[in-house]
C-alpha cells in the first residue's frame, strides 16, 4: 500500500495484547514518559477502552498521534445466537477473516466466558466438532484478550468473571500468546478464576508449571486407559497416560488447588462401573476432581458415539465418589445453539464437508 506521495503507507502498530514491557517498547517512538504508557495500559486492560478518543486522560495531541500510528483491533461479530437457557454464542471474525467462537454462560451464582486460543484445532479429538474441522492457526494475545473485552462490552457482564480456555483450540500449543493474554486479562480477572483446559500436551503442562501465577488446570482425560484414549484422542499417541500423569504429579499446584479431570461419558465405550473404578485408580494420590460430561450429540460425530441415559451418568458419578473423589456432572448448556462442550465450530458450516485433519502433534 502507498500513501498519496507514493511512499509506503506506515503500518500501524497493534497494541492489543501487548503486556506492559512490550507496550512500553511499542509506544516508545510516540510516548516518552512511563506514566503515559501506564495510562494507555490501564485504558486498554483495566477499562477495556479500544478507541483512542475515549482515552480522555491523554492529551488530544497524543490521542491523535496514537490513532495515526497505532491500532487496537477487536474481533468483529459475524453472528450471535442465544440459547433458551441464556447461553450466548458469538461467532467472531478476526482481521484475516478467520473465525472463532466465544461463549457466555450465565449460571445462578457465577458467570463464565469460554474463549478460544486457536482458530480451529489440529488435535482431531473424535468427539469434538472443532477438531472435525481441522487445524487453523494460533491466535495472537490480542485476539485472545479481545474476545473478553468484546464480550464485556456487548453483554451485560458482571465485574467478577470466570474464564475458561475450552473454546476452539489447544491453549498449551499456543503458550506464549496465552501467557501474554493472561497477563493483561489479569488486570480484571484473578488467575484463580481462569482455567486452562488441555488435551494433555506434556511440554505445555511443564511450561505452565513454571509460570509464577498459574491459572487452574483442567485435563481432558475421557478414557482411563491408553487404548481407548488414543481411539478418541490421537494426541495420546504422542503423550501417553504414563507421561501425562508423571507430568501432572510433578505439577506445582498451589495449596488447596486441584486438577480438574474432564471425562466425557460415551454410552457403551467408557461409562461402565469398572471404567469408573479404573478412572479412580488412575487419579489416586493426585489432588483431583472429576467433571463428567455426557456426550453432546452432533451430526458430524461417528454413529457409535451416543449419550448415556441420565441414570447411567448418575451411577457413574456415584461410583467415582465411592473412591473418595469429588465428581460433578456438567449439565448441557446452550445445546440449541451448538454452544455446548465439543460443539464449537464456525456457524453454518456444512456438516457433510470433508474432514481436514492434522493427526497427532509433533514432539
Ligand atoms: S477437544 Fe480441544 S483439543 Fe480436542 S480437537 Fe477439540 S478443540 Fe482440539
Amino acid at each position: 500500500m502507498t500513501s498519496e506521495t507514493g511512499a509506503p503507507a506506515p503500518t500501524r502498530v497493534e497494541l492489543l495484547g501487548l503486556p506492559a514491557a512490550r507496550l512500553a517498547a511499542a509506544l516508545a517512538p510516540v510516548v516518552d514518559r512511563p506514566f503515559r504508557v501506564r495510562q494507555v495500559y490501564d485504558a486498554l486492560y483495566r477499562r477495556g477502552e479500544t478507541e483512542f478518543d475515549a482515552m480522555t486522560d491523554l492529551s488530544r495531541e497524543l490521542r491523535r498521534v496514537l490513532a495515526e500510528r497505532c491500532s487496537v483491533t477487536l474481533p468483529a461479530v459475524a453472528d450471535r445466537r442465544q440459547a433458551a437457557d441464556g447461553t450466548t454464542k458469538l461467532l467472531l471474525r478476526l482481521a484475516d477473516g478467520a473465525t472463532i467462537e466465544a461463549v457466555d454462560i450465565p449460571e445462578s451464582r457465577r458467570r463464565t466466558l469460554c474463549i478460544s486460543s486457536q482458530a480451529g484445532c489440529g488435535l482431531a479429538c473424535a468427539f469434538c466438532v472443532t477438531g472435525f474441522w481441522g487445524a487453523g492457526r494460533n491466535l495472537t494475545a490480542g485476539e485472545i484478550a479481545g474476545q473478553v473485552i468484546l464480550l464485556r462490552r456487548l453483554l451485560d457482564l458482571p465485574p467478577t468473571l470466570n474464564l475458561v480456555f475450552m473454546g476452539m483450540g489447544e491453549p498449551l500449543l499456543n503458550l506464549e500468546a496465552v501467557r501474554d493474554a493472561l497477563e493483561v486479562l489479569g488486570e480484571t480477572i484473578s488467575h484463580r478464576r481462569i482455567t486452562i483446559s488441555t488435551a494433555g500436551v506434556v511440554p505445555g503442562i511443564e511450561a505452565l508449571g513454571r509460570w509464577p501465577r498459574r491459572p487452574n488446570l483442567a485435563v481432558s482425560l475421557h478414557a482411563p486407559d491408553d487404548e481407548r484414549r488414543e481411539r478418541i484422542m490421537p494426541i495420546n499417541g504422542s503423550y501417553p497416560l504414563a507421561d501425562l500423569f508423571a507430568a501432572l504429579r510433578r505439577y506445582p499446584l498451589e495449596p488447596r488447588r486441584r486438577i480438574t479431570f474432564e471425562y466425557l461419558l460415551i454410552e457403551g465405550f467408557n461409562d461402565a462401573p469398572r471404567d469408573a473404578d479404573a478412572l479412580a485408580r488412575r487419579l489416586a494420590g493426585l489432588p483431583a476432581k472429576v467433571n463428567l460430561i455426557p456426550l453432546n450429540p452432533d451430526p458430524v460425530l461417528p454413529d457409535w458415539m451416543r449419550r448415556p441415559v441420565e441414570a447411567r451418568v448418575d451411577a457413574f458419578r456415584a461410583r467415582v465418589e465411592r473412591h473418595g473423589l469429588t465428581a460433578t456432572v456438567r449439565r448441557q448448556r446452550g445445546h440449541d445453539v451448538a454452544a455446548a462442550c465439543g460443539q464449537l465450530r464456525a456457524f453454518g458450516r456444512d456438516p457433510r464437508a470433508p474432514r481436514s485433519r492434522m493427526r497427532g502433534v509433533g514432539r
Side-chain angles (χ1 to χ4, degrees):
M1 191 190 292
T2 55
S3 67
E4 283 173 15
T5 62
T11 313
R12 288 202 171 96
V13 180
E14 176 62 38
L15 301 183
L16 193 61
L18 295 181
R22 287 179 43 214
L23 183 69
L27 290 177
V30 285
V31 181
D32 54 356
R33 298 201 199 146
F35 86 93
R36 290 280 179 225
V37 175
R38 187 71 213 182
Q39 283 177 312
V40 176
Y41 184 91
D42 287 349
L44 287 173
Y45 304 129
R46 291 192 170 210
R47 303 198 298 276
E49 282 163 2
T50 53
E51 302 289 335
F52 294 115
D53 264 352
M55 301 179 188
T56 48
D57 48 349
L58 304 178
S59 71
R60 195 181 295 263
E61 174 58 11
L62 180 54
R63 282 182 271 153
R64 187 192 65 74
V65 174
L66 286 172
E68 204 175 272
R69 311 268 290 266
C70 305
S71 58
V72 177
T73 311
L74 285 180
V77 178
D79 200 349
R80 174 177 172 163
R81 296 183 191 176
Q82 186 157 22
D85 63 13
T87 299
T88 302
K89 180 164 86 161
L90 289 155
L91 178 70
L92 304 176
R93 195 173 307 285
L94 306 174
D96 66 351
T99 50
I100 55 168
E101 296 187 356
V103 185
D104 166 41
I105 308 161
E107 292 166 286
S108 56
R109 285 191 313 219
R110 60 186 192 166
R111 194 76 172 249
T112 302
L113 298 185
C114 173
I115 63 171
S116 298
S117 55
Q118 298 179 309
C121 184
L123 295 193
C125 299
F127 50 83
C128 174
V129 176
T130 303
F132 179 89
W133 291 108
R137 67 163 175 87
N138 279 340
L139 302 190
T140 65
E143 289 167 338
I144 296 170
Q147 295 170 63
V148 178
I149 294 172
L150 180 71
L151 264 66
R152 273 199 198 276
R153 183 174 298 179
L154 290 178
L155 310 169
D156 190 22
L157 299 180
T160 305
L161 283 178
N162 296 294
L163 195 61
V164 294
F165 282 78
M166 294 184 187
M168 286 181 168
E170 164 55 58
L172 298 189
L173 290 179
N174 187 15
L175 257 180
E176 209 173 305
V178 168
R179 187 202 54 210
D180 287 352
L182 291 199
E183 188 174 328
V184 302
L185 289 170
E187 293 299 328
T188 54
I189 307 176
S190 157
H191 67 288
R192 290 181 164 267
R193 291 186 172 275
I194 299 175
T195 299
I196 287 194
S197 176
T198 178
V201 180
V202 168
I205 292 169
E206 288 166 343
L208 194 61
R210 293 190 289 272
W211 289 9
R213 282 195 310 168
R214 291 179 290 284
N216 301 307
L217 180 62
V219 176
S220 296
L221 191 61
H222 303 325
D225 55 68
D226 282 314
E227 192 190 331
R228 276 181 289 177
R229 191 164 190 264
E230 198 161 334
R231 197 168 150 204
I232 57 172
M233 299 184 75
I235 191 178
N236 198 80
S238 299
Y239 306 116
L241 288 173
D243 294 359
L244 173 60
F245 275 83
L248 294 173
R249 287 182 198 286
R250 287 192 301 267
Y251 188 78
L253 276 178
E254 289 176 15
R256 296 187 301 283
R257 299 282 204 106
R258 289 181 289 180
I259 299 171
T260 301
F261 288 89
E262 289 150 6
Y263 190 96
L264 191 68
L265 284 166
I266 304 170
E267 186 194 58
F269 176 72
N270 63 358
D271 64 341
R274 66 176 176 282
D275 298 328
D277 297 340
L279 170 64
R281 280 196 301 276
R282 184 66 76 182
L283 305 186
L286 265 176
K289 56 184 172 181
V290 177
N291 191 13
L292 300 170
I293 310 164
L295 179 83
N296 291 308
D298 192 284
V300 305
L301 299 184
D303 291 343
W304 63 268
M305 285 195 173
R306 288 184 300 272
R307 182 186 180 89
V309 296
E310 208 154 315
R312 201 158 163 95
V313 172
D314 290 341
F316 193 96
R317 178 174 71 168
R319 186 90 173 199
V320 170
E321 287 185 325
R322 280 214 327 234
H323 293 274
L325 286 160
T326 304
T328 52
V329 177
R330 190 188 297 170
R331 297 293 168 196
Q332 213 169 10
R333 297 297 310 264
H335 185 64
D336 49 327
V337 290
C341 180
Q343 289 188 310
L344 294 188
R345 60 173 151 188
F347 291 64
R349 277 195 180 174
D350 182 352
R352 293 157 304 174
R355 286 176 189 232
S356 147
R357 288 186 162 198
M358 181 179 80
R359 287 218 160 256
V361 292
R363 190 159 60 146

